[in-house]
Amino acid sequence: MTAHHPSEQLLHRYSRGDDDIPADQLWGVESHLESCAPCRGRLAPDPTAQAVWTNLEPLLDRTPQMSRARARWRVHGWVSPAAGPWLAMILLVTAAAVALDRVGFVVGERVSLVVLIAPALPVLGVAASWGRSLDPAHEVTAATPRAGLPLVLRRTVAVLAVVVPGLAAAGVLTGVGFVRWLLPCLAFTVGTLALGTLIGVTRAAVVLIAAWALVIVAPTIAFSRMAVALDPAAAPVWAGLLVAGLAVLAARRMAFARLEVNR
Amino acid sequence: MQAIEADSLVVRLGKRNAVNGLSLRLGHGVHGLLGPNGAGKTTLIRTLATVQSPTAGTLSLLGTPANGRLKAVRRKLGYLPQHFGYYKRFKVREFVEYLAWLKEMPSARIPGAVHTALERVGLTDRAEDRMKSLSGGMVRRVGIAQAIVNDPEVLLLDEPTVGLDPAQRLRFRELVAELGRDSCVLISTHLVEDVAAACTDVVLVNEGSLMFQGTPADLATAGTAQHVGDSPIERGYSALISANSAGGAW
Ligand SMILES: Nc1ncnc2c1ncn2[C@@H]1O[C@H](COP(=O)(O)OP(=O)(O)OP(=O)(O)O)[C@@H](O)[C@H]1O
Ligand SMILES: [Mg+2]
Ligand SMILES: [Zn+2]
């Protein structure tokens, strides 16, 4: 994320695909373009180059391969390659919770399973994206320049992009209001990352899921009544936890560039 | 300026210092890192690769202090961990491309660089195969390919020759000799013969401390006929290690 925008000339040479641009400048332009929409807009196709490319494209058989590769990087810029199967599992679990709810299975006094699984799902996805136990390539990844909070946040957004619509659909189908699941879900997501900077993401995920199961799920089942934390009135507390988590994350952001955070 | 400058590095893991006040300077060339199991080789390499933060001491890579912002220096780094994990469903080419992307290589250069890296480790014909279909030695070579794909100025390889067949080991030696001409290559290994054949320089660590740094020939002169080993350099290694650790037949 370079602060200043690349010169017109440099952008022009970049868009033309000049291969004599020094590597550090090329890096600068590429990473700048990733984060700067105005400059992507400036990257108007050069008419001559465009004409040449239109004629050449069908002839170059490596072109489709290159664009497929680019598409793949674009996906994995957001979704960790390790997270795919877990995201599918998260959707299955959500669907199972809805199905159980529909056949009348509620825990305790009208506590839907959807509410009980909501905080655990993103924790699993985050652990799969940045944890030692679920991401086999975590160590090579940790040594690269992209390792760090921005990439972790993108992967977390990708996890939420699967979890939240899934739970939203589940909420509509089961009549569970979003206040009851959205804030705990977000607080646990940020909590995993924040605690992860202190004890490692894998351990943080285990600790938080265990705490949720012991403190909320088990009493709900054992005493057949809704835990206070699941009451919509608890929303301010969840919001407070969310903000506290974000503060820890901001203060400890450098931890994400190191291997310790994968533990 | 040397490529790697470490001063009094300490890395505490659990109750012990896996690296214990180690100072090291390494420039261009191929450096062999030797030491018994648990000596701290992996911990040292992880620290040099900037994935492990030192408990004390200072580290600078390519003239830049390795704390705070690491992005710029990591672009010039290549790292093969001792336990190299990968995504089974990826094709070989895709996996190395993904690592090149993580290393922030300009995307226009990635396909060419990946092709060259796979060529250098002799895996061009397996580029379109899935990672899960490779043999152990081939996986190791993919690990080497991802480490060199960005033409690193500092290349850290933790036991790269494990699982390589004899022909591949010879090829590997040629490759690192070539890479060591204008970058700093550090290779940890248990194969003293690898060091004798491929390295310009030997770094010997034991119990987290630097025992010896010099040429393979210097190491050989430390040994005598009484020391265990099949070659002068192995006997030199035994001499320095047994002088340091009291007792223990192993
Ligand atoms: N996560 C950890 N927690 C506690 N101690 C550790 C940890 N990892 C390594 N150690 C200890 O640190 C010391 C150095 O380990 P390291 O893996 O760096 O040795 P090594 O020289 O690479 O050994 P090998 O030749 O077996 O690979 C050992 O005593 C080991 O037990
Ligand atoms: Mg080791
Ligand atoms: Zn801009």
Side-chain angles (χ1 to χ4, degrees):
Chain A
M1 265 179 279
T2 14
H4 65 264
H5 309 280
S7 71
E8 204 57 58
Q9 190 211 1
L10 183 57
L11 265 189
H12 180 72
R13 288 174 60 205
Y14 173 79
S15 68
R16 208 170 46 192
D18 281 12
D19 52 13
D20 59 343
I21 308 175
D24 54 332
Q25 279 189 35
L26 200 52
W27 272 326
V29 176
E30 289 235 338
S31 56
H32 181 88
L33 285 174
E34 255 177 36
S35 61
C36 182
C39 282
R40 282 199 298 273
R42 285 167 66 203
L43 202 64
D46 175 30
T48 357
Q50 196 65 19
V52 172
W53 271 104
T54 333
N55 290 328
L56 269 181
E57 227 158 4
L59 302 173
L60 292 171
D61 62 342
R62 64 176 200 142
T63 309
Q65 188 181 321
M66 259 179 75
S67 56
R68 228 185 309 134
R70 275 173 198 237
R72 189 173 251 274
W73 302 328
R74 215 153 278 162
V75 170
H76 290 308
W78 291 89
V79 183
S80 159
W86 296 96
L87 294 180
M89 202 197 83
I90 284 170
L91 287 177
L92 276 178
V93 171
T94 312
V98 172
L100 282 169
D101 188 280
R102 296 313 293 259
V103 301
F105 184 91
V106 285
V107 181
E109 204 176 303
R110 294 223 32 77
V111 178
S112 170
L113 270 177
V114 174
V115 175
L116 291 181
I117 61 165
L121 293 182
V123 173
L124 196 62
V126 169
S129 304
W130 213 261
R132 178 167 73 176
S133 54
L134 300 181
D135 180 1
H138 68 273
E139 191 162 353
V140 268
T141 307
T144 65
R146 277 196 206 267
L149 187 61
L151 187 59
V152 175
L153 287 181
R154 280 161 76 163
R155 300 205 148 157
T156 305
V157 167
V159 169
L160 289 175
V162 171
V163 171
V164 171
L167 285 173
V172 169
L173 290 171
T174 58
V176 175
F178 77 93
V179 203
R180 302 251 320 263
W181 60 264
L182 185 59
L183 277 174
C185 176
L186 294 179
F188 264 68
T189 309
V190 172
T192 310
L193 295 176
L195 190 58
T197 63
L198 303 169
I199 62 171
V201 166
T202 309
R203 290 185 203 168
V206 172
V207 166
L208 287 179
I209 289 183
W212 176 257
L214 279 176
V215 179
I216 308 289
V217 181
T220 306
I221 294 171
F223 307 118
S224 289
R225 63 154 206 261
M226 191 168 74
V228 190
L230 300 178
D231 196 277
V237 179
W238 288 114
L241 287 172
L242 180 58
V243 171
L246 287 171
V248 172
L249 208 52
R252 306 249 328 140
R253 63 188 176 281
M254 297 309 282
F256 282 101
R258 305 284 191 166
L259 195 57
E260 287 98 310
V261 89
N262 298 97
R263 282 177 308 183
Chain B
M1 180 204 85
Q2 301 273 49
I4 295 176
E5 294 181 354
D7 274 303
S8 322
L9 275 190
V10 176
V11 181
R12 192 169 185 83
L13 294 177
K15 285 190 188 124
R16 69 176 77 224
N17 288 341
V19 173
N20 197 4
L22 191 147
S23 299
L24 187 65
R25 275 176 162 53
L26 297 174
H28 284 180
V30 183
H31 312 279
L33 180 58
L34 289 177
N37 290 134
K41 302 181 294 296
T42 295
T43 311
L44 175 62
I45 288 189
R46 279 182 170 156
T47 311
L48 300 178
T50 71
V51 296
Q52 169 81 54
S53 27
T55 315
T58 58
L59 170 67
S60 103
L61 295 171
L62 303 165
T64 317
N67 47 27
R69 295 193 60 77
L70 298 166
K71 245 178 191 298
V73 80
R74 282 183 174 181
R75 284 183 187 139
K76 299 173 189 161
L77 210 74
Y79 173 45
L80 172 66
Q82 184 169 358
H83 303 287
F84 170 63
Y86 55 91
Y87 304 118
K88 293 195 183 74
R89 291 165 298 127
F90 273 50
K91 291 178 178 171
V92 170
R93 174 183 51 76
E94 289 169 346
F95 187 72
V96 182
E97 276 172 357
Y98 175 61
L99 261 303
W101 176 82
L102 282 174
K103 294 182 184 202
E104 298 188 331
M105 289 185 71
S107 50
R109 289 200 181 156
I110 291 179
V114 170
H115 183 84
T116 310
L118 289 176
E119 207 162 46
R120 291 180 110 170
V121 299
L123 282 178
T124 313
D125 55 333
R126 305 301 294 257
E128 299 304 317
D129 291 0
R130 305 265 166 211
M131 289 295 292
K132 64 176 169 219
S133 74
L134 299 186
S135 72
M138 288 177 185
V139 167
R140 209 78 202 134
R141 278 147 63 195
V142 176
I144 297 167
Q146 66 78 25
I148 63 175
V149 70
N150 55 329
D151 287 325
E153 287 173 43
V154 173
L155 178 60
L156 305 162
L157 305 172
D158 200 349
E159 304 198 11
T161 54
V162 170
L164 297 196
D165 64 44
Q168 284 302 329
R169 288 238 303 281
L170 293 177
R171 238 179 118 155
F172 172 78
R173 288 174 192 170
E174 284 170 24
L175 174 61
V176 290
E178 201 178 301
L179 294 167
R181 271 202 283 277
D182 38 28
S183 53
C184 170
V185 184
L186 180 64
I187 302 171
S188 99
T189 178
H190 288 292
L191 297 171
V192 179
E193 52 191 298
D194 274 348
V195 171
C199 299
T200 47
D201 189 40
V202 186
V203 174
L204 184 64
V205 293
N206 195 17
E207 294 175 3
S209 304
L210 184 69
M211 302 297 306
F212 168 87
Q213 185 177 5
T215 63
D218 290 341
L219 180 59
T221 58
T224 66
Q226 275 91 59
H227 290 109
V228 194
D230 299 331
S231 62
I233 186 165
E234 276 187 15
R235 287 190 284 274
Y237 172 86
S238 314
L240 288 170
I241 294 298
S242 60
N244 176 248
S245 43
W250 287 71

